């Protein structure tokens, strides 16, 4: 499975897959003079990883899943008996297209002596049978406790008549680029296998809202999914999840979900069988330099700019569209990703202090967080307004028209919608470069509502009179809002 050139190494490696020979060799280490600023705990290349491998091996497991899948003879080649390809294609279909049982492999690790096991969600997704193989050779059936597709984490449980060897989570935030790490798992169905490398990068994001990956050059292949990434103390600091690869095999760019994310998810799955993330109830975007200038913010300002506040905790707590959130629960907010993760980690139902910048002044608000999972089940409803409609006019490279009954029906807008509809965008304009397109709806300019073309003209004049080089527009497309700053010079 591939996404944006990221080949997700799934648990679909067939049992005992053939050996894949990889070109190139791993550079094990370089002695670097760190100078007087080097941290005392910095470590050189170990002479061997054998002691560590012996310590951690008993807690790492192979996972075999099976599920009944529908098969079809449609579009499958019809080959005569005796054909050298017939046996190959028979592996993928059942006689008469009947359902068949399919197996897949993955990895995991034990986190408690009473049998809780962590793996990837995609390892066990859709499975109706899960079997755990331990380093000792023992096999036990496992039950699914809970999953979190957003971080691709799953928690399993086995029942054992004896305490199981287990490992603890370490602090992934303490890992530095260049630190040694060891990965262990079941690559390509070859069984328990150890690879070593370094942390190549931190805080990588692939496609998920809560992504916080450690990147490593330790070899990770199909079947390693769900396996642990260890620090040199034998603590789990990541869960091996994905690789960047043009061919499906390791090229030294692997991604492990950071343990400080996984640990919180696992605690919730263990206690509730599901995740319970905090929910603030705002739509936000990063404070870019042009947005900061348009809002009159100091150069280099950071935070999360609120673009919309539907009904929910933020609205109840007094947060407004146009506020810049720069502190949450006492922590500085750098950007959208930072705020999203801090809110998710905050306790549901508790009041937190949120500091915002509003019209050049800071305000401290108290917001009682809701639960994201519940909010996601409810569609955000926003029906407002109705408009009037004079003629079209060109401004800022845009051909604009107030909302009319005809446009409202044509664009399927909620009844009562007000604003300026973009009916055409000059392809050579800054507006086009910044993503505005025909059908977009401008609802605010300079953080004030607009329903007439004159309203926008007035806001542009005000921006110029104040010496600003750009104006901030609130754009809605298919109901989703975002701010865009356009030059008024």
């Amino acid at each position: 499975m591939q996404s944006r050139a990221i080949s997700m190494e799934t648990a679909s490696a067939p049992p005992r897959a053939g050996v894949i020979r990889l070109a190139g060799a791993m550079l094990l280490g370089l002695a670097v003079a760190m100078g007087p600023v080097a941290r005392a705990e910095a470590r050189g290349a170990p002479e061997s990883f054998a002691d560590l491998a012996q310590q951690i091996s008993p807690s790492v497991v192979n996972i075999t899943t099976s599920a009944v899948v529908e098969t079809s003879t449609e579009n499958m080649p019809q080959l005569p008996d005796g054909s050298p390809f017939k046996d190959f294609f028979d592996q993928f279909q059942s006689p008469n297209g009947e359902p068949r049982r399919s197996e897949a492999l993955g990895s995991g690790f034990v986190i408690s002596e009473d049998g809780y096991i962590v793996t990837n969600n995609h390892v066990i997704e859709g499975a109706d049978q899960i079997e755990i193989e331990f380093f000792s050779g023992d096999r036990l059936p496992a039950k699914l406790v809970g999953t979190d597709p957003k971080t691709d984490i799953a928690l399993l449980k086995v029942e054992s008549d004896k305490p199981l060897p287990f490992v603890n989570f370490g602090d992934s935030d303490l890992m530095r680029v260049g630190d040694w790490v060891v990965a262990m798992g079941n690559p390509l169905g070859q069984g328990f296998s150890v690879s070593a490398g370094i942390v190549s990068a931190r805080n990588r994001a692939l496609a998920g809202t809560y992504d916080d990956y450690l990147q490593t050059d330790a070899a990770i292949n199909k079947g390693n999914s769900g396996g642990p990434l260890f620090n040199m103390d034998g603590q789990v600091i990541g869960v091996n999840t994905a690789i960047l690869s043009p061919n499906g095999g390791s090229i030294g760019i692997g991604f492990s979900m950071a343990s400080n994310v996984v640990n919180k998810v696992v605690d919730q799955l263990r206690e509730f069988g599901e995740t319970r993330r905090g929910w603030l109830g705002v739509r936000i975007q990063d404070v870019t330099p042009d947005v900061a200038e348009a809002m009159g913010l100091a150069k280099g300002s950071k935070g999360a700019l609120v673009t919309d506040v539907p009904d929910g905790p933020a609205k109840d707590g007094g947060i407004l569209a146009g506020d810049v959130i720069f502190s949450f629960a006492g922590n500085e907010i750098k950007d959208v990703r930072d705020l999203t993760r801090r809110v998710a980690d905050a306790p549901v139902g508790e009041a937190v202090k949120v500091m915002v910048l509003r019209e050049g002044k800071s305000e401290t608000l108290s917001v009682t967080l809701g639960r994201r999972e519940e909010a996601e089940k409810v569609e955000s409803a926003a029906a407002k307004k109705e408009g009037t409609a004079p003629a079209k006019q060109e401004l800022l490279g845009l051909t604009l028209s107030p909302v009319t009954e005809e446009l409202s029906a044509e664009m399927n807008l909620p009844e009562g919608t007000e604003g300026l509809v973009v009916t055409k965008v000059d392809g050579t304009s800054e507006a086009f470069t910044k993503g505005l397109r025909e059908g977009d709806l401008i609802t605010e300019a300079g953080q004030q509502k607009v329903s007439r073309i004159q309203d926008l003209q007035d806001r542009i004049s005000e921006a110029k009179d104040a010496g600003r080089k750009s104006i901030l527009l609130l754009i809605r497309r298919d109901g989703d809002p975002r701010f865009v700053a356009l030059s008024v010079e």
Side-chain angles (χ1 to χ4, degrees):
M1 152 186 8
Q2 289 190 335
S3 174
R4 298 184 183 177
I6 297 291
S7 176
M8 294 295 292
E9 57 93 18
T10 68
S12 58
R16 307 303 300 172
V19 174
I20 296 178
R21 195 178 299 274
L22 300 176
M26 180 181 292
L27 183 64
L28 288 181
L30 291 173
V32 180
M34 297 300 294
V37 296
R39 289 169 52 168
E41 61 269 36
R43 302 178 181 180
E47 292 183 3
S48 171
F49 293 98
D51 290 341
L52 178 59
Q54 185 175 15
Q55 171 192 339
I56 60 180
S57 292
S59 63
V60 183
V61 300
N62 294 340
I63 299 177
T64 303
T65 66
S66 63
V68 175
V69 296
E70 298 292 333
T71 62
S72 172
T73 57
E74 185 179 355
N75 299 324
M76 293 293 288
Q78 301 300 312
L79 301 171
D81 291 339
S83 167
F85 298 105
K86 191 172 191 329
D87 289 342
F88 173 79
F89 283 106
D90 282 348
Q91 297 178 58
F92 301 98
Q93 61 179 10
S94 298
N96 303 318
E98 296 176 355
R100 58 186 289 271
R101 185 162 287 278
S102 174
E103 288 191 345
L105 302 178
S107 307
F109 54 98
V110 184
I111 60 167
S112 66
E113 64 178 12
D114 58 346
Y116 282 99
I117 295 170
V118 174
T119 186
N120 279 144
N121 175 61
H122 75 255
V123 169
I124 52 81
E125 191 171 21
D128 54 31
Q129 292 182 9
I130 305 172
E131 185 180 65
I132 306 299
E133 179 188 3
F134 296 86
F135 190 72
S136 63
D138 294 340
R139 293 175 179 267
L140 290 174
K143 292 183 179 181
L144 179 63
V145 176
T147 66
D148 178 33
K150 286 183 169 61
T151 56
D152 199 9
I153 295 298
L155 184 63
L156 310 176
K157 181 72 164 61
V158 296
E159 299 298 333
S160 174
D161 56 5
K162 57 185 178 182
L164 297 173
F166 64 94
V167 287
N168 295 312
F169 285 108
D171 187 346
S172 54
D173 287 344
L174 297 180
M175 299 303 294
R176 299 173 299 154
V177 173
D179 280 345
W180 284 97
V181 288
V182 168
M184 189 169 185
N186 183 21
L188 301 171
Q190 296 303 300
F192 297 89
S193 177
V194 176
S195 60
I198 62 170
V199 175
S200 304
R202 290 169 36 89
N203 303 124
R204 293 295 200 201
L206 303 182
T209 303
Y210 306 108
D211 284 359
D212 185 11
Y213 287 102
L214 296 175
Q215 180 185 326
T216 179
D217 64 354
I220 297 174
N221 286 283
K222 292 183 178 180
N224 274 114
S225 283
L229 188 71
F230 291 100
N231 61 19
M232 291 298 97
D233 294 321
Q235 298 171 324
V236 178
I237 46 85
V239 177
N240 302 322
T241 302
I243 58 174
L244 177 64
S245 173
N247 54 22
S250 173
I251 61 170
I253 305 178
F255 300 95
S256 299
M257 183 62 77
S259 61
N260 286 0
V261 173
V262 177
N263 199 6
K264 294 169 185 173
V265 170
V266 168
D267 284 347
Q268 292 186 357
L269 295 179
R270 194 168 175 174
E271 183 175 358
F272 307 113
E274 59 186 358
T275 56
R276 297 190 176 184
R277 293 188 170 95
W279 177 56
L280 185 59
V282 291
R283 295 188 177 97
I284 50 179
Q285 70 179 62
D286 288 331
V287 178
T288 59
D290 56 350
V291 167
E293 196 281 332
M295 296 182 67
L297 302 179
K299 193 173 182 180
S301 293
K302 297 180 180 179
L305 173 59
V306 178
T307 62
D308 192 27
V309 189
D311 291 340
K315 188 173 184 178
D316 295 340
I319 293 177
L320 304 176
D323 286 350
V324 176
I325 299 175
F326 63 89
S327 176
F328 178 86
N331 299 294
E332 179 188 3
I333 297 302
K334 300 175 183 176
D335 51 29
V336 166
R337 187 173 166 220
D338 189 19
L339 178 61
T340 301
R341 288 185 53 199
R342 291 192 183 279
V343 171
D345 291 342
V348 175
E350 292 191 12
V352 295
K353 288 185 178 180
V354 180
M355 297 185 69
V356 303
L357 193 63
R358 180 182 300 169
E359 297 179 355
K361 298 179 181 179
S362 62
E363 293 192 26
T364 301
L365 306 172
S366 178
V367 180
T368 301
L369 300 182
R371 184 183 170 201
R372 174 169 289 278
E373 290 80 3
E374 293 177 353
E376 287 176 346
K377 296 176 183 178
V378 181
E379 293 183 4
S380 297
K384 312 173 183 177
K385 333 161 188 177
E386 186 179 5
T388 52
K392 297 180 181 179
Q393 188 166 337
E394 291 187 19
L395 285 170
L396 306 174
L398 304 169
T399 302
L400 302 169
S401 172
V403 175
T404 64
E405 291 184 5
E406 294 77 10
L407 281 173
S408 183
E410 182 181 329
M411 297 173 61
N412 197 29
L413 298 175
E415 184 179 354
T417 295
E418 292 182 347
L420 300 176
V421 177
V422 178
T423 59
K424 187 178 179 181
V425 185
D426 182 349
T428 65
S429 68
E430 179 192 19
F432 185 88
T433 302
K434 291 192 173 179
L436 272 75
R437 295 296 182 267
E438 181 180 339
D440 286 347
L441 181 68
I442 301 174
T443 59
E444 290 185 13
Q447 297 177 271
Q448 298 183 49
K449 291 183 178 181
V450 293
S451 59
R452 306 172 304 154
I453 292 176
Q454 185 62 50
D455 295 336
L456 178 57
Q457 291 173 327
D458 292 343
R459 301 295 86 74
I460 293 173
S461 297
E462 290 170 4
K464 289 180 177 179
D465 292 342
R468 293 178 183 165
K469 298 178 181 179
S470 54
I471 187 170
L472 200 64
L473 304 180
L474 179 57
I475 311 296
R476 292 183 181 272
R477 181 181 299 169
D478 297 326
D480 293 327
R482 69 186 180 105
F483 281 107
V484 175
L486 296 181
S487 173
V488 295
E489 294 184 334

